[in-house]
Amino acid sequence: MSDLDSDAAFIGHVTCHLEGWLTDDDAAVTADLLRVQEPWEGDAPLVEIGVYCGRYLSLLLASAARTRSRVLGIDTFQFKDLAAVHDGLAALVPELMAWLSLHQGSSGELTADSLLGLLGRPPRFISVDGSHEYPDVLHDLRLADATLAPGGLVAVDDFLNPVAIGVNRAVNAFLESTPNLVGVACGPNKLFLARPPQAERYRQHLEQRLLETPAARGQLFRKRLATWRGLVEQDFFGCPLLLYTAG
């Protein structure tokens, strides 16, 4: 079974059975980007700010198990009890739970030093999916910029979602401040950022996958690319941003 087949099976048998909001395209692209990242950053930890029931977190756990990494989930657990989230994941992937730690609290209470103290070293992946209010998202993006490993990725949830205007405002304000992060790709509900030296490697890898995959996102990508490259790649704060979507 290929890596992509294996990821599709995991998404179908685990991820899709956890409550939450995650498109098939965003799940598949995340799993693929994690695969290509693993040899670069080894056993560096992964972080999710905003766990809810662990749907997206499950993808991080699958990657962590392959590299024997730690996954830290940060959430207030005001919508779903921490124990219920833990038990829901354990029912589906008991073999992966050894890699997971859940931290109850607001990410707004964390500094770069305190987050690194929890992790022990810079993380290779940070999912920003907590509060969608402008000041909170801006804080989380700055926290990610201050702690991410050199080959790391940041996934921002709900960028360009019309019911999450605070996310859009925070992303734009953050990138206007010229951080050490640039755009890689944007899909139905995820924006990926990386350190400038690695961003092009991620974009090239993802584009090759989109050119090869028979999935709907690949078919549409190839059709749009044949029409005009501007339909699949646009300037985003001075750097190219690859666009993938099946709709």
Side-chain angles (χ1 to χ4, degrees), residues 102-162:
L102 295 175
H103 174 84
Q104 186 163 13
S106 168
S107 59
E109 299 170 353
L110 295 173
T111 64
D113 287 343
S114 62
L115 178 59
L116 290 173
L118 290 171
L119 296 172
R121 59 185 288 193
R124 63 178 171 93
F125 193 95
I126 301 177
S127 168
V128 175
D129 190 13
S131 165
H132 283 24
E133 297 299 320
Y134 165 74
D136 301 327
V137 180
L138 186 58
H139 168 83
D140 292 347
L141 289 169
R142 288 171 173 166
L143 185 65
D145 189 24
T147 58
L148 190 71
L153 278 168
V154 177
V156 186
D157 189 66
D158 276 326
F159 180 61
L160 299 183
N161 188 331

Side-chain angles (χ1 to χ4, degrees), residues 35-213:
R35 288 270 185 186
V36 74
Q37 180 193 66
E38 289 164 7
W40 301 350
E41 287 295 341
D43 61 352
L46 303 89
V47 178
E48 176 156 47
I49 298 172
V51 173
Y52 189 48
C53 292
R55 188 167 191 161
Y56 197 64
L57 189 74
S58 70
L59 301 175
L60 278 58
L61 276 172
S63 177
R66 293 191 292 267
T67 58
R68 304 181 69 81
S69 308
R70 182 182 176 194
V71 176
L72 176 64
I74 302 166
D75 202 299
T76 60
F77 295 101
Q78 66 191 89
F79 300 110
K80 290 290 181 178
D81 180 77
L82 186 153
V85 173
H86 181 279
D87 292 348
L89 285 163
L92 288 170
V93 285
E95 71 280 8
L96 303 185
M97 298 305 289
W99 311 111
L100 176 65
S101 297
L102 295 175
H103 174 84
Q104 186 163 13
S106 168
S107 59
E109 299 170 353
L110 295 173
T111 64
D113 287 343
S114 62
L115 178 59
L116 290 173
L118 290 171
L119 296 172
R121 59 185 288 193
R124 63 178 171 93
F125 193 95
I126 301 177
S127 168
V128 175
D129 190 13
S131 165
H132 283 24
E133 297 299 320
Y134 165 74
D136 301 327
V137 180
L138 186 58
H139 168 83
D140 292 347
L141 289 169
R142 288 171 173 166
L143 185 65
D145 189 24
T147 58
L148 190 71
L153 278 168
V154 177
V156 186
D157 189 66
D158 276 326
F159 180 61
L160 299 183
N161 188 331
V163 298
I165 298 299
V167 175
N168 186 58
R169 182 184 170 202
V171 167
N172 283 281
F174 172 70
L175 291 175
E176 284 172 353
S177 71
T178 61
N180 190 27
L181 289 170
V182 297
V184 172
C186 189
N189 216 44
K190 296 288 181 184
L191 169 69
F192 293 93
L193 307 171
R195 301 297 190 197
Q198 301 298 335
E200 183 58 27
R201 293 178 66 184
Y202 280 120
R203 278 192 295 269
Q204 289 178 356
H205 169 83
L206 180 55
E207 178 164 349
Q208 189 59 42
R209 288 296 202 196
L210 290 166
L211 291 172
E212 295 171 350
T213 181

